[in-house]
Amino acid sequence: MDAAMTQQQTGTKLKWLWLSVAVIALDLGTKALATAMLTYGDPVPVMPMFNLTLLHNTGAAFSFLAGAAGWQRWFFVALAIVVSVVLVYWLKGLKRNETWVAVAIALILGGAIGNVYDRVVHGYVVDFLHFYWQDWHFPAFNLADTAITIGAGMMILDIFRKPADQAADGSD
């Protein structure tokens, strides 16, 4: 099979990298604004149950390994780079009808790169979105975390969706 035929069958899902770039730009822009306009650890009420609170996370999700001796920074950078390379190859190999998965991958990729930038440049991830209910506080997060969560949720939902090629030919 020649390259043109393969391209026609698989489509080029790399076109969805624009979404990753948009996530990175929005994430880094909002983190820069939060850093410039907020005082570290000082909550700014926006509405009931939501504050803007500038925090620095040296760990992973929910501050996992935040108290480690510093090795976690480069571990998380390396992990994000490996995951990003895998995601780009996965995106490249998707078929034309796999747009849902392409969007999910692009969101996760953009979020991963946004957070890895913070780790490399600052040594921590900038978080500032802070939800709470009475005395219970959800860990602060950022737009990169939001994109990763939405992308992962889309992938989970995709598991339960009927594949488009099966729906087209009526088979189960």
Side-chain angles (χ1 to χ4, degrees), residues 94-130:
L94 290 177
K95 294 180 180 145
R96 234 181 235 283
N97 64 341
E98 295 181 294
T99 301
W100 181 270
V101 176
V103 170
I105 290 170
L107 288 170
I108 294 169
L109 181 63
I113 293 172
N115 281 342
V116 84
Y117 174 88
D118 276 6
R119 288 187 195 289
V120 169
V121 172
H122 306 298
Y124 52 80
V125 174
V126 175
D127 290 327
F128 60 93
L129 302 171
H130 174 209

Side-chain angles (χ1 to χ4, degrees), residues 32-62:
L33 281 171
T35 300
M37 299 176 78
L38 299 172
T39 302
Y40 185 86
D42 187 18
V44 175
V46 176
M47 57 195 299
M49 299 182 289
F50 177 63
N51 293 332
L52 294 177
T53 308
L54 179 64
L55 297 172
H56 300 157
N57 183 1
T58 57
F62 304 106

